[in-house]
Each structure stands twice: as structure tokens, then as C-alpha cells.
Amino acid sequence: MGELGVAVIGCGFIGNVHLRAWSKVKGSRIIAAVDLIGGKAKRAAEAYKAPYWLTDYTKVLEMREVDIVDVCTPTYTHAEIVVSAAKSGKHVLCEKPIALRLSDADDMIGAARKAGVKFMVAHCLRFWPEYVESKRLVESGAIGEPRIARAYRLSPFPEWAPWHKDRRLGGGVFVDMSIHDVDFLRWAMGEVEEVFARGGTLKTADSTSHDFTHAILKFKSGAIAYVEGSWIQPPGFPFTTYLEIVGTHGMLAVDNHSPAALKVYRPGEPPAVYTPFEEDAYDKEVKHFYECIVRDLEPAVPGEEAKKTLEVTLAAVKSVDEGRPIKLPLEGEVL
Amino acid sequence: MRKLRFAILSFAHIHAWSYARVLKSLEEAELAAIYDDDPERLRRAAEAYGVKDLYGDYRQLLKREDIDAVVIASENAKHAELAIAAAEAGKHMIVEKPLATTLEDAEKMIKAAEKAGVKLQQAFVMRYHDATVAVKNLLDGGTVGKILAVMTTNHGKFPGLWFDDPKLAGGGAVMDHVVHTADLMRWYTRDEFDEVYAVIGKNIRPDLRSEDCALISLRFKSGIVGSIDCSWSRPNTFYTWGDVFLAIYGTDGFILVDAFRPCINLVIEGKPLTWHYYGPDADYNMIKDFVYAIQEDRPPRATGYDGYKALEVSIAAYESARKGLPVKLPLQR
């Protein structure tokens, strides 16, 4: 197999992160950067030496030299782009959440299967160092059976993506952000059977999306988890995550500030507290997808997995709306 | 100021030992007598604090005119009997949390104290940690605007003893932990709970006689969202006893509290790392304030009613977990 051509659709924050990651994957070549806003596509194409920049994604589906389409657009556009990319025979990497409707997820999964292309949803915690190591510890039996988990993720509202204020476009804080923790907990602890959640649109003006949600998950195994997502942090609040898993023989806990290798302080900016890796989670994620294509492997997060994770987050939205616990699987759509 | 003469009624609860330490250290108070229904524990307490007047029958102790106030730190289920007797004997009292194991008992205690005109303070020690007091002042000063949501945890090791015996404790980890942060939330928001949803389990210590964990979702009347993650989930080898953690989300700011985080990393050759606490002494603050509440004849910072309302959350949590559904407060009795 020769070099695989990549087109990244959506050149916002995560699109640029993926472009940088693709630029490091030997055996791949960035062919096109696509964005509805021409300036963004052009800047991204220039930065990553892609021969083409486009505003119409359907054009890349016709390009023979494009093997992989990496969908980094707003959530509400995922289904249409992924289905048409798969139908065009392109392998598809799609940013999380997979979609906002379960039927859309089914269409995406079906289209990829029918076309015989690889399809993965970019749930980056599956490549995130402390989460990968936590999963490994749980799997190794180091803390016994995982029985109680706690995870939270705190951020100011993502003002840079105003479509998040419309729940039909972005799904809200739990579907968009806590989905990371839910996906990780499913990965580490198995399937969820019931969700109770509380929250709402507590602070954000003119938003139909929930900006704060806490959820209590009951797993099939009998384990339980508390997951909280906040988009109501004050401006400038440093992005904060926490994970704790208690097992029958011990526990693990990790957050994203205390164990950081590096702290950078600059005037007028919140401290940057992080642990840099030459190959970061996004690099690993993108490289993994490339390997899946080249070696014909099952991707770490196939569409079916991402759909199950989505379903749990949708159950949380439904629980907040209806004030009662929601059993899985869901009957019908939520958003 | 006259020295107040105190008695401690039972050292069954581990906090009794700390309260005795505080009483011994206060200029304003004197630990005059102790009672315990366990002769061996009575002997150990007497030895530890140099108390000479020892009682195996609390009625005899309560007959003493020279005792002004009592600390009740028995097993939870025995609080009511001791508190009602203390009230009838005209003694002011501070009662270990939870106030009682049933709302009926809690109400009887409150009424007995009211009738006798004695003070009943609920030992909500978290109202006396300097950090949580600072938070109260920040919130009352409007530092974060209006409160939107509160997330709390109270994790610990399994305390052993009778704490998992439902007959004596009234339950397990829920009875032990929930009231602390439930009370802080009520204190901070000046609001009452409207709905409780809880998942309760014996998830990690199958040998216990009670639950070891709970996840609780709360809503206040004003719509404020709250949560409590409480458990005896910390391994016996954990580097500290546990935590009281609060995240308070306001319209205009955010406060994080990790009350027992002020610790020195201490490693002694041949032993694992431990966290050596150097933070505020909330037990000291609380007992001292109780002494002053009596001297100055003012209401205690946390009353019997506060104890009742926090206990109601625990009782509702059990009911919610049993039904698998949210439960409305106040509970109908």
C-alpha cells in the first residue's frame, strides 16, 4: 500500500489538532483541509502543506487521492458527512460525539459496514496517558473489581463554538463533554443499565443546551459511578478533570493538575499545567486509525461503541428533562 | 467567667476522645465526670484523660447538680435515650452526629430540650473548620454571586467498631457521612432540600453488615443542584483518613474546598507515605463555641433542628435507594 491521503473536514480547534497529528504519521499525506470558512481552510492547508483547501466537503469525496476523511466539524453535521464519505469508499475518523441521534449513528455504522471502510470515533481518552494507564491497572486486577467510580470535567462555556447553545446542534455539556468520562467508564467498567441525572441550563444565557449536569450511573456489574460536567466555570478557569475508581482491593485517583510535569506562568494568562509527550493522545489516536487501515484491524472505538456511549449521555439528558431514572437501552430519540 | 463542668456520656463514638482532649485543654471548661456502658472503655477513657468520677449508670451521673453540660457520643441509636434524660436533668448538651437514627427520635430529643430550656447543639463539626467558615463568609459576602450547584464528597476508611451495625448505627456509610455535607449545603444556601435521589451499595466491603457507599443527587426548593458522594471506600492503607471536598458553582465564581488537604507528606522509614494534617482544629473550635454558647446564652451554631433536617436527607436516601426513585422532602411521618 502506498501513502494514504487524508482530508480533514472542519478546521476549528480539534481539526487543527488532528492536522498536526496527521502531519506526524509516516505513510500518510494530508491532501486537503476543508472548512465552510475559506480562510480557516486556507490557513490550515498552508500550515500543514496540504495541496488543496476547500469549502465544500463533497469535493474531497470525489478525490481519488483521498483515502481517509477525518470529520472534525460540529456534531450536528457528522451524520451527513460520515455517511457520504463512507459511501464514497473513504475510511472515516469522526470526532466525538458520533452524532446526537441514535438513528444517525446507526446510519453511519451501516454505511461504513456496507462500504467496507474503517470507521472510528475519536474518543481521545482511550489514548490519554493517565486514562490508558488507569484502564490497564483496572484490567490487570491491581485494585480488584472496579465498584465505585467518580469523574468530573469542569470548563467555562465553549464560547468559541456558539452552536453549543442549541441542544439540537451540540447536545449540551453531558453529551459533548462528559461523554469522554462516560466512554472511559464504559471501557473500564462495562455496560451501564440505568442513569439518573440532574442539572439544566443554570447559567448560560440564550441556551437550550444544559450547561451543568451530574449523573449517577448504575452498571450491569453492580458498580456505580458519579459523573459531573460543568460548563459554568468562570472565564479563565483552567480546564479540570478528575478520575477515581475504587475497587474491591484498592483504589486509583488522578487529576489533570496535581501530577503535571510542567507548569508555565505568563502574565495575564491562567497557568498552563500539563504533562507534554512527544507523541500525545491525539497523535496516538490518529496513528492508531492509520494502522487499523494498513493492517486491517478493528478500530479501538468502532461506531457501535461510540453509539453505546452516546446512548448513556442521551439518557442523562432525558433524566434531567424528566426528573426520573432512565433505563437503557433507550426507546426512541432524546434530541 | 465560671468554669463550666462537663460530663461525657459514652466514648463509643471515636470523636468522643477528641472532644475529651479539647475539654481538657480549655480554660473555660472542666471535664468532671464520664459515663460509659462498656466498663473497659470507661477505664481507658478515665486513664487517658485523668478523670476520677466514673459512672456505669448515666442516671446517677445526671443527678449531679454540679454538672452543667454533657457531650453525648454514644452509638447513634442510643443518642435519644441519653439526650432525653440529660434534658430532663436540666443539662445542656452537644450530641454527636447523626442526631439520631430515626426522625421520631430526633424530634423527641428536640422537644425534650425545648421543654427543659436547655441547649441542644448538633455536633456538625464541619461548621467549625476554618476553611468552611471562610466559605460561609465568602458566600454571604456575595463573592461568587448566587449559588447554582454544589458538589460534595465525604470519603473515609471504614471506622470499624459498631459503625456498620444497623441496630446501633441506624445504617452504615450513609448514616455516618451524609449529614456532614448535607448540613453544609443547607447552611451555605439558606435553603431546604426538595428532592433526594440515591444509589446505595455494599460495593467494596462485602463482609460489612451495612452499606459502604452512596451516590446522592439533591435538589433544593430554589432549584439549586447538589450531590453527595460518600463512602467508606478508602483502603486501610490510605495515606489519610479521607476527605471533605466541596465544589460550589455560583453565577459569578467558583469555590473549591478540600478541607483536610493541609497536610505534610510524611514518610517514616519502613512505613508507607502518610499525610500528616496541620490544618485547623475544628473539634476545638466547636467545643469551645458550645461552651461560649452556654456562657453567653445564645443559640448554638447548629441546632437540633439542623440535625433533624440533615438526618432527613439520610433517611430519604435510604427510601430512594429502596424504591429506585427520587423522594420528595420534607418526609411525611
Side-chain angles (χ1 to χ4, degrees):
Chain A
M1 199 181 278
E3 245 178 11
L4 293 183
V6 180
V8 173
I9 304 177
C11 297
F13 167 73
I14 197 69
N16 277 281
V17 168
H18 280 209
L19 280 161
R20 196 203 60 210
W22 280 114
S23 72
K24 297 186 194 173
V25 177
K26 288 196 184 72
S28 80
R29 186 167 162 249
I30 300 167
I31 305 291
V34 186
D35 200 291
L36 279 177
I37 300 166
K40 280 187 171 182
K42 184 164 185 276
R43 271 195 303 279
E46 282 166 5
Y48 295 100
K49 300 184 177 58
Y52 302 101
W53 63 267
L54 302 156
T55 55
D56 177 1
Y57 81 88
T58 60
K59 296 268 165 48
V60 300
L61 305 186
E62 293 157 14
M63 297 169 88
R64 291 202 50 154
E65 63 268 54
V66 171
D67 303 286
I68 299 167
V69 168
D70 184 347
V71 182
C72 295
T73 54
T75 313
Y76 60 94
T77 66
H78 287 179
E80 179 199 310
I81 300 174
V82 170
V83 168
S84 35
K87 280 183 176 163
S88 306
K90 311 300 186 194
H91 301 290
V92 188
L93 178 62
C94 177
E95 190 43 47
K96 47 52 61 180
I98 180 171
L100 297 173
R101 297 171 62 86
L102 298 171
S103 58
D104 283 346
D106 285 333
D107 291 347
M108 296 156 84
I109 294 162
R113 187 183 298 130
K114 197 170 164 202
V117 296
K118 299 288 180 196
F119 174 38
M120 181 169 112
V121 179
H123 278 292
C124 57
L125 290 199
R126 303 235 189 177
F127 301 89
W128 212 270
E130 63 265 41
Y131 289 85
V132 170
E133 191 59 15
S134 297
K135 156 75 173 166
R136 195 193 63 73
L137 284 166
V138 169
E139 207 165 36
S140 73
I143 59 166
E145 281 294 308
R147 300 293 292 162
I148 312 168
R150 172 175 187 78
Y152 56 80
R153 203 158 278 266
L154 313 177
S155 160
F157 190 87
E159 297 288 350
W160 39 273
W163 48 275
H164 278 303
K165 289 193 178 182
D166 186 336
R167 61 149 68 189
R168 291 163 310 169
L169 304 184
V173 65
F174 211 79
V175 171
D176 190 70
M177 190 170 72
S178 295
I179 198 167
H180 284 296
D181 294 311
V182 170
D183 184 65
F184 174 78
L185 292 173
R186 281 190 56 254
W187 188 38
M189 294 168 61
E191 294 305 333
V192 174
E193 64 177 16
E194 192 176 290
V195 180
F196 181 86
R198 218 189 276 282
T201 310
L202 303 189
K203 185 178 175 188
T204 312
D206 307 319
S207 171
T208 57
S209 294
H210 297 156
D211 55 12
F212 181 91
T213 300
H214 73 217
I216 296 171
L217 313 181
K218 285 186 187 172
F219 290 80
K220 285 213 164 71
S221 67
I224 57 176
Y226 179 87
V227 181
E228 181 164 302
S230 165
W231 272 347
I232 61 174
Q233 301 310 109
F237 182 83
F239 182 64
T240 296
T241 65
Y242 179 79
L243 168 72
E244 169 184 315
I245 301 178
V246 182
T248 46
H249 296 296
M251 62 172 287
L252 62 86
V254 65
D255 68 81
N256 70 330
H257 295 305
S258 332
L262 195 58
K263 296 179 184 175
V264 181
Y265 302 87
R266 288 175 46 80
E269 290 175 20
V273 177
Y274 62 109
T275 300
F277 286 88
E278 191 181 338
E279 190 179 47
D280 70 14
Y282 299 105
D283 297 339
K284 289 192 165 107
E285 175 180 79
V286 159
K287 192 168 142 193
H288 165 78
F289 187 61
Y290 169 84
E291 296 281 330
C292 287
I293 297 166
V294 175
R295 298 173 197 272
D296 192 21
L297 305 171
E298 173 81 346
V301 199
E304 291 84 350
E305 269 291 285
K307 183 192 159 191
K308 282 185 186 163
T309 294
L310 171 70
E311 192 177 21
V312 176
T313 65
L314 291 173
V317 174
K318 191 175 166 77
S319 180
V320 172
D321 287 346
E322 298 183 6
R324 63 186 179 93
I326 304 294
K327 285 204 189 316
L328 296 172
L330 285 178
E331 289 165 15
E333 305 290 348
V334 174
L335 293 170
Chain B
M1 200 187 263
R2 186 177 74 83
K3 258 193 185 201
L4 281 182
R5 291 174 68 80
F6 269 79
I8 293 180
L9 303 185
S10 178
F11 282 75
H13 198 288
I14 39 192
H15 292 163
W17 303 79
S18 178
Y19 302 155
R21 166 188 63 87
V22 176
L23 284 172
K24 293 295 287 186
S25 74
L26 288 177
E27 294 271 319
E28 304 88 341
E30 181 185 343
L31 178 53
I34 59 178
Y35 149 81
D36 207 301
D37 56 5
D38 177 335
E40 168 57 17
R41 203 163 53 206
L42 184 65
R43 190 193 61 74
R44 276 192 292 123
E47 205 167 278
Y49 300 106
V51 183
K52 298 211 169 50
D53 294 357
L54 315 180
Y55 294 83
D57 178 354
Y58 66 84
R59 289 175 202 85
Q60 294 304 317
L61 185 152
L62 289 173
K63 278 183 190 162
R64 277 179 55 166
E65 294 284 331
D66 65 317
I67 302 292
D68 301 293
V70 296
V71 175
I72 297 177
S74 62
E75 299 89 342
N76 304 339
K78 297 179 183 171
H79 286 178
E81 184 187 336
L82 294 171
I84 291 164
E88 285 168 353
K91 312 300 184 198
H92 301 294
M93 70 192 87
I94 181 165
V95 182
E96 181 52 46
K97 43 63 42 179
L99 186 59
T101 54
T102 66
L103 292 173
E104 289 74 13
D105 274 356
E107 192 177 323
K108 281 182 205 158
M109 294 162 70
I110 294 166
K111 285 197 168 145
E114 270 170 11
K115 194 175 161 202
V118 295
K119 298 191 189 304
L120 192 178
Q121 175 161 350
Q122 167 76 104
F124 279 148
V125 72
M126 290 314 297
R127 290 200 189 198
Y128 288 96
H129 187 292
D130 301 59
T132 53
V133 172
V135 170
K136 175 68 174 161
N137 293 333
L138 288 170
L139 292 171
D140 287 354
T143 305
V144 300
K146 193 172 129 344
I147 298 175
L148 299 171
V150 186
M151 160 170 76
T152 75
T153 77
N154 188 189
H155 302 114
K157 299 178 183 180
F158 171 51
L161 305 172
W162 49 270
F163 281 80
D164 67 327
D165 181 348
K167 278 199 210 72
L168 292 172
V174 168
M175 269 295 167
D176 191 27
H177 281 317
V178 162
V179 293
H180 274 308
T181 64
D183 177 64
L184 281 180
M185 282 190 261
R186 278 187 70 246
W187 194 40
Y188 287 162
T189 60
R190 300 169 184 272
D191 198 357
E192 294 295 351
F193 293 109
D194 176 51
E195 192 186 273
V196 178
Y197 174 85
V199 173
I200 292 177
K202 190 193 291 185
N203 276 30
I204 46 175
R205 299 177 188 271
D207 48 314
L208 296 193
R209 293 167 285 183
S210 68
E211 80 280 357
D212 58 24
C213 66
L215 299 174
I216 300 175
S217 169
L218 301 159
R219 187 181 64 220
F220 281 88
K221 290 205 185 320
S222 65
I224 294 170
V225 175
S227 70
I228 303 173
D229 175 345
C230 66
S231 59
W232 291 327
S233 57
R234 280 8 188 190
N236 298 331
T237 48
F238 201 56
Y239 43 83
T240 182
W241 65 270
D243 64 58
V244 172
F245 177 91
L246 315 169
I248 301 165
Y249 305 79
T251 49
D252 202 23
F254 176 68
I255 297 176
L256 271 182
V257 182
D258 198 352
F260 297 96
R261 186 62 187 84
C263 287
I264 293 164
N265 286 332
L266 177 66
V267 187
I268 292 164
E269 190 67 65
K271 290 180 180 172
L273 165 76
T274 58
W275 275 9
H276 182 83
Y277 181 69
Y278 65 87
D281 185 347
D283 284 350
Y284 177 86
N285 295 346
M286 179 176 75
I287 296 295
K288 186 167 174 180
D289 190 58
F290 179 56
V291 170
Y292 275 80
I294 296 167
Q295 298 278 24
E296 295 166 6
D297 192 21
R298 57 171 165 82
R301 192 176 293 177
T303 62
Y305 181 71
D306 294 319
Y308 180 99
K309 294 307 285 182
L311 176 63
E312 194 177 34
V313 175
S314 308
I315 304 285
Y318 285 116
E319 187 182 330
S320 169
R322 213 161 41 238
K323 292 180 173 167
L325 292 169
V327 168
K328 285 272 172 201
L329 292 188
L331 290 175
Q332 301 303 317
R333 297 184 16 232

